[in-house]
Amino acid sequence: MRVLLPVLMIGLIVGNLFTILGLTTNLPSGLNRLFLFGGPALTILAAVSIVVIVLQRRR
């Protein structure tokens, strides 16, 4: 589980980057929707996974 933390942190950064790109660039509609839905989804998934791993390590 501890090995996944760096990967999840990179996923958190990439999710935020996708969200920012979706909000600030003038992309085609399909690609923009992918960024605007995929970015926050990836961010939330990575954040929840990091919290779960940290809470399991404390026990």
Side-chain angles (χ1 to χ4, degrees), residues 51-59:
V51 168
V52 167
I53 289 173
V54 169
L55 286 178
Q56 284 183 351
R57 294 277 301 159
R58 287 187 162 217
R59 290 184 187 176

Side-chain angles (χ1 to χ4, degrees), residues 1-2 4 6-7 12 16 19 21 23-24 28-31 38 41-44 46-47 50:
M1 289 269 202
R2 191 173 181 184
L4 291 177
V7 174
L12 196 63
N16 284 329
T19 304
L21 285 174
L23 290 172
T24 59
S29 129
L31 191 59
L42 182 61
T43 302
I44 291 170
I50 290 171

Side-chain angles (χ1 to χ4, degrees), residues 28-47:
S29 129
L31 191 59
N32 196 20
R33 284 186 185 160
L34 175 69
F35 279 7
L36 286 177
F37 289 118
L42 182 61
T43 302
I44 291 170
L45 181 67

